[in-house]
Amino acid sequence: MRSTSPRLLPLFAIASAMAFALIAASCARSIEARTEFVIGTLCRIDLQDQGSDAAYREIFARLRSIEEAMSANKDGTELDAVNRAAGIAPVAVGADMMAVAVKAVRYAELTDGAFDPTVGPLVKLWNIGTPEARVPSAEEIAAALKLIGWRDLVVDEKAGTLFLKKPGMRLDFGAIAKGYAADAVAEILARRRIKRAVVDLGGNVLVYGKKKDGSPWRVGVQDPSGLRGSHIGIVRIEAKTLVTSGVYERFFEEDGRRYHHILSTRDGYPVSNGLISVTIVADKSVDADALSTSAFALGWEKGKALVESIPGAEAIFVWDDLTVRATPGIKKDFALSDERYRIVD
Ligand code: FAD
Ligand code: MG
């Protein structure tokens, strides 16, 4: 018995967007929210103040330009050019690629490589999220692991170039680029002096400004054991971002085992530490995205310590026995609503 998640993705994403819309309902808006499929997911932008066709067009064009630079799934992107030149020569990249590379290397350093933007060969090997997903052989995994190592990614900010030292190395910004994209949307909102908006890039949520009635935004934490669209609880946040990494997002099943898309750079298999999701609340979405994947890969002790080292960041960890742990700073703003789950200290 074998199943893959990608065919269902758009449906789940719609459900997710709708679930969020329900929580955020009751806010008057100047123009309806818009949803487009970009950066590999459904992106829903809800400008609740000064929304205009021009603003929406600018935002989605910005998202498309980030996809054009950083997609690992398309030929001709800057990321593709860097990968093709691995072991050959540095490649000039734009400001977006450079900014994400700098951040990604920072998180690789902070996690001692548990988060690694050079995880590409392993991502390609497993192909999770595509119909070709399969369990690779031990030899294939060993070969891919040899090509992974963020220290062999040369980031030359002055020259504006990226260089992968070994042939066969591959960058993959799947764990961080959606967060960067959400922050890029927030920059447009600031420049246009839009007062309040909700940016939902496939579950990577950023709430901008204050709600009209002054109350905090209420954002659902996705239920990692169920279908997309249901949530285990609500977080109340103001001018923050909430990002979740989980086993439910992209996976396939073979012989009764689930293989999900957050990969261990130590053994080459999906991270197996009992966690089913990690949700991060932070000031910047790029940090929240990098942290959600990092904390998932590191597990509770090291993950919590990492999150607490980033100012303004908090985390909610969920395990497969349906226990939930949260960092102290988020506890008062997080309300569990699904009674199958239980908060422990
Ligand atoms: P996260 O936990 O944030 O990230 C998990 C992803 O990070 C994995 O899917 C893998 O790509 C990578 N990763 C795995 N292990 C590690 C690790 N140890 N360290 C660092 N990174 C790791 N999907 C499509 O199906 N088609 C597309 O055309 C497509 N285009 C995209 C274009 C862009 C610019 C981006 C950012 C994403 C795109 N995606 C596309 C989605 C992408 O492939 C990932 O599935 C998605 O970004 C995962 O995000 P997440 O928040 O669910 O998980
Ligand atoms: Mg992430």
Side-chain angles (χ1 to χ4, degrees), residues 113-277:
F115 174 101
D116 192 326
T118 69
V119 72
L122 214 44
V123 174
K124 273 280 163 218
L125 184 61
W126 282 88
N127 258 320
I128 296 173
T130 78
E132 286 83 46
R134 66 178 176 96
V135 181
S137 70
E139 292 75 25
E140 287 174 309
I141 286 180
L145 282 173
K146 281 196 186 129
L147 295 169
I148 295 170
W150 61 275
R151 287 189 175 82
D152 288 331
L153 165 62
V154 183
V155 179
D156 188 336
E157 282 189 85
K158 235 176 167 178
T161 58
L162 299 179
F163 178 46
L164 293 164
K165 283 189 187 165
K166 294 186 199 162
M169 286 183 79
R170 291 180 71 94
L171 284 180
D172 184 303
F173 287 161
I176 189 168
K178 270 197 288 177
Y180 179 81
D183 292 333
V185 174
E187 278 172 25
I188 295 176
L189 302 176
R191 184 163 36 73
R192 286 182 167 268
R193 299 186 197 284
I194 289 170
K195 286 204 209 79
R196 62 189 71 85
V198 179
V199 176
D200 183 350
L201 310 185
N204 192 315
V205 177
L206 182 149
V207 292
Y208 186 85
K210 275 191 192 297
K211 266 171 71 180
K212 207 167 191 176
D213 64 3
S215 65
W217 302 92
R218 291 153 47 78
V219 182
V221 175
Q222 175 68 37
D223 176 3
S225 74
L227 277 186
R228 210 164 170 183
S230 55
H231 54 257
I232 65 167
I234 303 285
V235 181
R236 292 182 307 145
I237 48 175
E238 277 177 53
K240 288 261 186 184
T241 178
L242 181 146
V243 177
T244 301
S245 284
V247 297
Y248 58 88
E249 196 62 47
R250 277 170 186 251
F251 64 87
F252 70 99
E253 279 168 6
E254 201 167 281
D255 299 329
R257 272 198 66 179
R258 176 179 288 206
Y259 298 91
H260 65 83
H261 70 143
I262 303 166
L263 302 169
S264 162
T265 51
R266 300 220 185 281
D267 65 22
Y269 284 82
V271 171
S272 170
N273 56 12
L275 281 170
I276 51 176
S277 75

